[in-house]
């Protein structure tokens, strides 16, 4: 597997990528756009490490599954310490870095599986389903609850997420995850998508930003190919 966890300054993370733990609905506006109820506890699922690719590399619209691939832009957390049944405060201190990820989804397949009450991993865990950016070391982000991120496609703003608008704030989210799965150094957590999800179109340019209003921490651009 060629994907390597690294920081924005080019330094490699000490551990290989483990699992990618994701939350299904963490922004009210996104739950609404897909006609899903707002959950009372986070809806968790896992993408395998084999789904990770570099966010800066060209993205293929053709996943080989014969249906459109949908994008969801999400804040990604790199876990730096083992977490099992921890408090929100302990969980917060274990974050080693913050970056961006795409939770690529075969929406039609996911909807069919959901209707039948089946697990929908195959719609979310295929090879290439999790492009990840490099991570900004947490020390470089003094005010991370103020972070926001954007996705523009061909110069038009499509998604805008603000950490403070998450239904389950990051410390609580990580603590809840750690009650179900031990999080290990090298695991990545995707924190849910804001509204504005859609289909990856060929020959488009995707530009991602991560900042806190004062400082831009990360900019990644990628192209979508056939
Ligand atoms: Zn998602």
């Amino acid at each position: 597997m060629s994907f390597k966890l690294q920081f924005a300054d080019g330094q490699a993370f000490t551990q290989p990528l483990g699992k990618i733990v994701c939350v299904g609905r963490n922004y009210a506006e996104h739950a609404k756009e897909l006609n899903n109820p707002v959950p009372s506890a986070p809806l968790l699922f896992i993408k395998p490490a084999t789904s990770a690719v570099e966010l800066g590399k060209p993205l293929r619209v053709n996943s080989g599954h014969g249906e459109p691939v949908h994008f969801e832009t999400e804040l990604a957390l790199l876990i730096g310490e083992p977490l099992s049944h921890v408090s929100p405060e302990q969980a917060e201190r274990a974050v080693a870095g913050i970056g961006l990820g795409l939770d690529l989804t075969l929406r039609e397949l996911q909807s069919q599986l959901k209707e039948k009450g089946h697990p929908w991993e195959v719609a979310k865990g295929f090879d290439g389903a999790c492009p990840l950016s490099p991570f900004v070391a947490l020390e470089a982000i003094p005010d991370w609850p103020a972070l926001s991120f954007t996705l523009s496609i061909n110069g038009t703003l499509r998604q805008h997420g603000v950490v403070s608008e998450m239904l389950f704030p990051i410390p609580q989210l990580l603590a809840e995850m750690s009650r179900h799965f031990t999080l290990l150094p090298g695991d990545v957590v995707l924190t849910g998508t804001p509204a504005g999800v859609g289909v990856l179109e060929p020959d488009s340019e995707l530009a991602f930003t991560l900042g806190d209003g004062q400082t831009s921490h990360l900019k990644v651009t990628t192209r979508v190919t056939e």
Side-chain angles (χ1 to χ4, degrees):
M1 195 178 60
S2 64
F3 180 81
K4 296 251 186 320
L5 285 171
Q6 60 170 20
F7 287 103
D9 65 3
Q11 219 185 322
F13 187 63
T14 49
Q15 305 292 323
L17 174 66
K19 58 190 173 295
I20 303 163
V21 184
C22 309
V23 53
R25 293 166 209 154
N26 203 17
Y27 292 86
E29 287 300 313
H30 170 62
K32 224 189 279 177
E33 76 179 341
L34 295 186
N35 292 318
N36 285 320
V38 170
S40 54
L43 194 77
L44 305 179
F45 61 96
I46 290 180
K47 284 176 182 266
T50 44
S51 67
V53 289
E54 252 179 74
L55 182 63
K57 295 263 174 74
L59 294 171
R60 308 265 321 268
V61 279
N62 184 357
S63 67
H65 294 82
E67 63 165 83
V69 176
H70 289 238
F71 58 83
E72 301 185 352
T73 310
E74 311 196 2
L75 195 78
L77 309 173
L78 175 59
I79 302 301
E81 288 169 32
L83 292 176
S84 178
H85 298 269
V86 293
S87 69
E89 294 72 27
Q90 288 168 304
E92 189 173 354
R93 286 197 296 273
V95 176
I98 298 188
L100 294 171
L102 277 178
D103 172 14
L104 296 182
T105 304
L106 301 170
R107 188 77 68 208
E108 292 167 19
L109 179 59
Q110 186 195 22
S111 302
Q112 290 161 12
L113 293 166
K114 261 186 184 163
E115 258 169 46
K116 293 181 192 152
H118 291 171
W120 31 263
E121 256 73 13
V122 292
K124 293 263 194 188
F126 55 92
D127 289 359
C130 192
L132 291 172
S133 78
F135 290 83
V136 181
L138 204 64
E139 304 90 82
I141 309 179
D143 189 15
W144 66 277
L147 279 177
S148 65
F149 57 96
T150 62
L151 163 66
S152 297
I153 301 182
N154 297 329
T156 304
L157 181 68
R158 295 288 297 273
Q159 292 202 272
H160 177 231
V162 183
V163 167
S164 59
E165 288 177 5
M166 289 181 185
L167 295 172
F168 303 100
I170 287 170
Q172 281 80 356
L173 180 65
L174 293 176
E176 174 69 14
M177 285 176 173
S178 84
R179 293 178 49 233
H180 300 283
F181 321 107
T182 297
L183 297 173
L184 293 172
D187 284 351
V188 166
V189 168
L190 290 189
T191 53
T193 182
V197 300
V199 172
L200 280 183
E201 301 286 357
D203 298 320
S204 50
E205 188 186 71
L206 274 55
F208 303 88
T209 68
L210 173 67
D212 61 14
Q214 313 281 322
T215 316
S216 163
H217 293 293
L218 201 64
K219 279 196 167 99
V220 182
T221 303
T222 188
R223 287 203 67 78
V224 181
T225 62
E226 282 291 344

